[in-house]
Amino acid sequence: MPVSGRVAIVAGASGGIGSATVRAFLAQGTHVVLAAPQDALLDAIAREMQPFGERVLIVPADITRRADVDEVVARTLVRFGRIDVLANVAGIGSSPSFCDSTDDEIERVLAVNLLGAARLMHAVLPVMKAQRRGAIVNVGSVAGEAAVMGIYSASKFGLRGLSDSVRREVRSFGIGVTLVEPGFVRTPMNPGMNNLPGPEIVADAIVAAVERPRRSRIVPRSYGLAVFLVKTFPGVTDLVFGDARIQRRLNRDARAAREAIS
């Protein structure tokens, strides 16, 4: 499905990957609805989007609340009359150690990364089924293939399963469902890591997934080999990541950051 002239909802539009996705769609002539929490980041991208005029609709929303999700859909239909694309980009991270996570963190990660995406899909699918056309792109993670990041990995595993299930359910309606799985990219979620590719690499994959839907896209492509090895040799993965030294290195920076805040 060509994206020019289409209507796309981008959830998590004020984040690093989300804002890059908005720019990528606009560059292709798409009408874009920006859904994100009302904060300074949304205010900043709202100012940036002013030159695009009526092609942009900004809807402050907390995707963990169904009322907000329904408001995004309703306002999109009032402005544009249709919904062609949903890009589920919103996501938050967690401590690599599940044991280090608080109960509030566990609930929040699942509420945003899995349930928020599920609610948005549930809300737009009746519209897309009536149109008999549409594209949904969910942003997962290679951590949803290799379970090494605690509750974050669990949320992305869940999103992968949901994407597969919904893809099969709505295929006959002409709706594509693609899972884009980034590795480490340059975003506020990875502040201490240098020489990472920018969020534009994920945004470009999202646009490509609308134009040419497929089951999944791993970006950067170099992570594909790692994912293949993890799936093919799970026992080796258990040995490597079950090593106490590896676990200490995985959790060192996260624990240091928590101590600095407390």
Side-chain angles (χ1 to χ4, degrees):
M1 181 173 67
V3 297
S4 179
R6 303 295 178 183
V7 177
I9 295 174
V10 179
S14 61
I17 294 174
S19 58
T21 302
V22 169
R23 297 183 192 102
F25 275 128
L26 289 170
Q28 296 295 321
T30 311
H31 303 284
V32 185
V33 179
L34 284 68
Q38 180 66 72
D39 58 17
L41 290 175
L42 183 61
D43 292 341
I45 196 167
R47 289 191 295 270
E48 181 186 338
M49 295 298 111
Q50 287 178 352
F52 292 96
E54 293 298 310
R55 285 180 55 203
V56 171
L57 173 64
I58 296 171
V59 184
D62 177 354
I63 64 169
T64 67
R65 299 178 57 203
R66 182 57 190 246
D68 284 18
V69 169
D70 290 340
E71 178 74 7
V72 172
V73 172
R75 290 184 58 181
T76 301
L77 292 174
V78 168
R79 168 71 71 84
F80 299 113
R82 60 185 299 112
I83 300 172
D84 300 300
V85 178
L86 169 64
N88 269 319
V89 185
I92 58 174
S94 73
S95 169
S97 168
F98 181 66
C99 295
D100 284 356
S101 296
T102 64
D103 189 74
D104 286 345
E105 182 180 56
I106 292 170
E107 185 169 333
R108 181 66 179 168
V109 170
L110 292 175
V112 174
N113 295 2
L114 179 56
L115 296 179
R119 288 190 174 101
L120 281 155
M121 294 170 72
H122 192 264
V124 304
L125 278 171
V127 179
M128 292 183 175
K129 288 171 72 174
Q131 296 169 176
R132 300 197 67 84
R133 190 172 192 178
I136 295 173
V137 184
N138 295 322
V139 176
S141 171
V142 294
E145 301 279 0
V148 294
M149 293 293 290
I151 195 64
Y152 177 79
S153 281
S155 70
K156 296 302 185 179
F157 264 77
L159 186 59
R160 178 157 63 92
L162 181 63
S163 299
D164 286 345
S165 177
V166 173
R167 180 189 311 109
R168 292 155 190 163
E169 179 180 346
V170 301
R171 183 175 181 271
S172 62
F173 290 90
I175 302 169
V177 181
T178 299
L179 182 67
V180 172
E181 298 180 289
F184 289 111
V185 296
R186 191 173 64 251
T187 70
M189 286 180 63
N190 303 308
M193 303 182 71
N194 300 317
N195 302 317
L196 295 177
E200 294 77 15
I201 192 172
V202 185
D204 291 343
I206 291 171
V207 174
V210 174
E211 296 176 326
R212 297 179 299 279
R214 59 178 66 175
R215 290 182 183 85
S216 65
R217 291 173 178 265
I218 295 175
V219 290
R221 293 178 64 182
S222 56
Y223 280 90
L225 176 60
V227 169
F228 170 79
L229 293 174
V230 165
K231 287 185 170 182
T232 307
F233 305 106
V236 174
T237 307
D238 287 350
L239 287 173
V240 172
F241 286 97
D243 187 279
R245 293 167 297 179
I246 299 296
Q247 285 296 315
R248 282 196 295 270
R249 292 188 63 180
L250 274 174
N251 291 284
R252 180 182 56 201
D253 293 342
R255 287 169 178 164
R258 284 174 182 263
E259 290 174 2
I261 294 173
S262 61

